Amino acid sequence: MKRSVAVRLSAVLATGALAAATGLAMSTTTASAATGGVTGYATQNGGTTGGAGGQTVRATTGTAIHQALCSRASSSTPITIQVEGTINHGNTTKVSGGSCSTAADKIELKQISNVSIIGVGNGAVFDQLGIHIRESSNIIIQNVTVKNVKKSGSPTSNGGDAIGMESDVRNVWVDHTTLEASGGESEGYDGLFDMKDNTQYVTLSYSTLRNSGRGGLIGSSESDTSNGYVTFHHNLYENLDSRTPLLRGGIAHIYNNHYKNLNESGINSRAGARAKVDNNYFEDSKDVLGTFYTDQAGYWQVSGNIFDNITWSSRSGDNQPAGPNPTSNTSVSIPYSYSLDAANCVPSVVSQTAGANKGLKVSDGSCTPQNPDPTDPDPTDPDPTDPDPTDPPTGTNLSIGAGADGSSKASGTSYGNVVDGSTSTYWSPSGSTGSVSVKWGSATTVSKINIQLASGSGTIGSYRVLNHDTGAVLASGSGSGTIGFSATSLKKVTFEITGASGTPRIAEFETYAS
């Protein structure tokens, strides 16, 4: 039966492409947190704020994400990591430090707290590389895509979970994400959103989970019942075999989700679990609610749901569907406030809001998606530290008299050539990419650099400007010329060429205070 995901995948993708071509145009405005911010159980137990109040850095590789975590003063120092581009095994390495514990085969959020990972710009895609949260708290993941994470085959990552949480995890908000695979367990994939071993106070909101054998679970076995207090709302579950979610013990609040093409079973409440299931829209699916594959019963409170073309199997043994006329067999008290959309408008609302790169739109219960709070920052706008070639540098070139170093250099070139004030000499990487740095003996404030190329140089396709002291990305872009960013006190600034046509020749790496 697990083949059903793979068999249906091409048809589902075709349908998705048609919907994208004919559907509502989405706003390009995005924000660091949508209107109203965190919702559901993640608001409890002191709340979930992620990296609020801390430094904001940019990352375009998995290594840079790890470096940002490891460069903090402590494992609890707040940080927001804005991610753009494709994160994969090729650009993710282990980074060591006192404020982190990372690994090369996953994005590892281990034994840390107060972190936000936010997709910005043209989008953040974690390709075949999962996100692992372990022994951590106060984590926000927003506006990212995680796809095709494998537990078997090649390459493997994170036990096969797109996002996995385990071992004393508290207060996680995952919002406006797209979590997807390309088949079921027989194709090497596992769960999209798993919680194990004492994970509590979690919200999954406005996200898309699709094309997998398993949507996700709460509890790894019938004895792992220390998990719970999880909210799922305004998510799209599409073309999944089962586990939307599988709930072992604990409490879940499940409202305003759109379920379509669930091939074997849906919400599986078992081992004493209790689920409050409100105003969801179930469509073209089988056994969308009940206790399945166990004789240890779970419970549910249902209201306002719509069951559209749902097939219910007969009750027998370890197969106990709630339908064909689901009724409540428990009651669940919810400790936070929330607004319910009517079930009949859930497909429309969810189609406009769920998933990455949808503009972080949300619903206020009016069946009309709302834009993010306009007072929030806009990560799809150019980074305020991005280059401004129309604004030339002024004042003293701080590079004159400073030191220089970098990565491997081409034969006959020198690091010092970029700080000597002469455009007739240059530094060149040993290949098309590499880095060169300007450094001082004491902290120096820099807000602008000017990269001048020598005659015969190749062109710079993409670059990053790094605060070498902390690993923070100060700016990124393409080409050469003047690059501005927020004034930063540092001892070393690095210009990293990440893509080029030909071999660049940097004649001068000028630095300015203003």
Side-chain angles (χ1 to χ4, degrees):
M1 289 297 293
K2 298 303 178 191
R3 295 181 194 172
S4 55
V5 172
V7 169
R8 290 175 170 85
L9 179 57
S10 59
V12 169
L13 294 178
T15 301
L18 178 61
T22 60
L24 177 68
M26 301 302 173
S27 167
T28 58
T29 301
T30 330
S32 62
T35 303
V38 62
T39 53
Y41 273 115
T43 64
Q44 305 299 291
N45 191 43
T48 305
T49 57
Q55 183 184 23
T56 297
V57 301
R58 282 261 182 156
T60 58
T61 67
T63 302
I65 294 173
H66 285 160
Q67 184 63 58
L69 296 171
C70 295
S71 297
R72 296 184 297 164
S74 75
S75 61
S76 61
T77 301
I79 188 169
T80 295
I81 304 172
Q82 296 181 338
V83 183
E84 183 175 16
T86 299
I87 311 300
N88 54 35
H89 286 266
N91 62 30
T92 301
T93 58
K94 175 182 174 65
V95 178
S96 299
S99 61
C100 67
S101 177
T102 69
D105 64 343
K106 62 181 76 70
I107 297 301
E108 185 83 297
L109 307 180
K110 182 179 180 182
Q111 298 170 345
I112 62 174
S113 59
N114 309 325
V115 173
S116 295
I117 295 179
I118 312 293
V120 297
N122 293 321
V125 177
F126 294 78
D127 184 13
Q128 303 181 75
L129 196 77
I131 299 174
H132 188 203
I133 305 171
R134 183 169 185 169
E135 300 171 66
S136 295
S137 63
N138 195 23
I139 306 295
I140 294 174
I141 299 172
Q142 189 176 58
N143 200 39
V144 304
T145 295
V146 187
K147 66 179 185 178
N148 292 334
V149 180
K150 285 195 168 185
K151 70 172 184 177
S152 63
S154 179
T156 59
S157 171
N158 189 27
D161 298 334
I163 296 178
M165 292 159 271
E166 62 179 302
S167 301
D168 304 320
V169 173
R170 292 291 185 276
N171 290 87
V172 176
W173 181 33
V174 177
D175 179 65
H176 284 90
T177 62
T178 297
L179 310 177
E180 58 189 0
S182 296
E185 186 176 19
S186 62
E187 288 81 33
Y189 305 100
D190 197 4
L192 297 177
F193 193 71
D194 279 12
M195 289 156 275
K196 309 171 187 175
D197 191 17
N198 198 23
T199 294
Q200 298 181 357
Y201 301 106
V202 176
T203 296
L204 176 67
S205 56
Y206 300 102
S207 292
T208 293
L209 295 82
R210 63 188 174 203
N211 302 335
S212 178
R214 297 168 172 174
L217 58 75
I218 304 171
S220 60
S221 68
E222 307 297 68
S223 61
D224 183 17
T225 57
S226 59
N227 310 280
Y229 306 115
V230 182
T231 301
F232 303 86
H233 74 89
H234 292 94
N235 302 300
L236 170 65
Y237 294 83
E238 182 177 22
N239 193 35
L240 302 169
D241 285 343
S242 62
R243 301 187 180 184
T244 67
L246 187 161
L247 176 63
R248 293 174 167 123
I251 292 174
H253 187 197
I254 302 170
Y255 71 91
N256 283 156
N257 301 289
H258 184 197
Y259 299 88
K260 56 191 299 188
N261 302 117
L262 305 185
N263 305 318
E264 297 177 14
S265 62
I267 300 168
N268 185 354
S269 180
R270 51 201 275 188
R274 293 187 296 142
K276 184 171 172 59
V277 184
D278 297 330
N279 289 34
N280 300 281
Y281 195 102
F282 299 92
E283 180 179 8
D284 298 337
S285 298
K286 177 184 176 184
D287 286 343
V288 296
L289 174 65
T291 295
F292 307 103
Y293 323 121
T294 182
D295 59 1
Q296 297 190 34
Y299 308 96
W300 43 85
Q301 179 182 354
V302 293
S303 65
N305 302 288
I306 291 177
F307 300 93
D308 179 4
N309 191 32
I310 303 303
T311 300
W312 299 96
S313 59
S314 300
R315 296 181 184 180
S316 64
D318 62 3
N319 189 68
Q320 297 292 323
N325 296 300
T327 58
S328 300
N329 56 17
T330 191
S331 62
V332 180
S333 177
I334 301 300
Y336 51 81
S337 61
Y338 58 100
S339 298
L340 283 172
D341 287 303
N344 61 4
C345 70
V346 163
S348 174
V349 170
V350 168
S351 72
Q352 296 175 65
T353 58
N357 305 316
K358 288 288 190 73
L360 297 188
K361 286 188 173 184
V362 298
S363 176
D364 61 0
S366 67
C367 288
T368 303
Q370 308 293 311
N371 285 318
D373 189 333
T375 64
D376 284 341
D378 186 349
T380 62
D381 286 342
D383 187 330
T385 66
D386 278 352
D388 183 359
T390 65
D391 185 11
T394 59
T396 302
N397 175 10
L398 303 173
S399 297
I400 302 298
D405 60 20
S407 62
S408 298
K409 55 185 181 292
S411 177
T413 73
S414 167
Y415 301 125
N417 289 337
V418 302
V419 295
D420 64 359
S422 170
T423 57
S424 63
T425 59
Y426 58 88
W427 165 84
S428 187
S430 58
S432 60
T433 61
S435 62
V436 64
S437 303
V438 178
K439 57 185 180 179
W440 299 269
S442 59
T444 300
T445 298
V446 178
S447 69
K448 199 169 291 183
I449 70 174
N450 186 30
I451 300 297
Q452 296 190 50
L453 299 180
S455 175
S457 172
T459 58
I460 298 172
S462 59
Y463 66 76
R464 299 193 306 164
V465 180
L466 306 175
N467 177 345
H468 192 90
D469 303 353
T470 66
V473 180
L474 302 174
S476 60
S478 60
S480 57
T482 302
I483 303 167
F485 44 85
S486 297
T488 304
S489 178
L490 41 71
K491 290 185 177 181
K492 185 174 180 180
V493 59
T494 297
F495 183 76
E496 179 184 36
I497 303 168
T498 57
S501 176
T503 301
R505 298 178 176 181
I506 298 182
E508 290 298 297
F509 180 172
E510 299 176 352
T511 54
Y512 296 88
S514 62

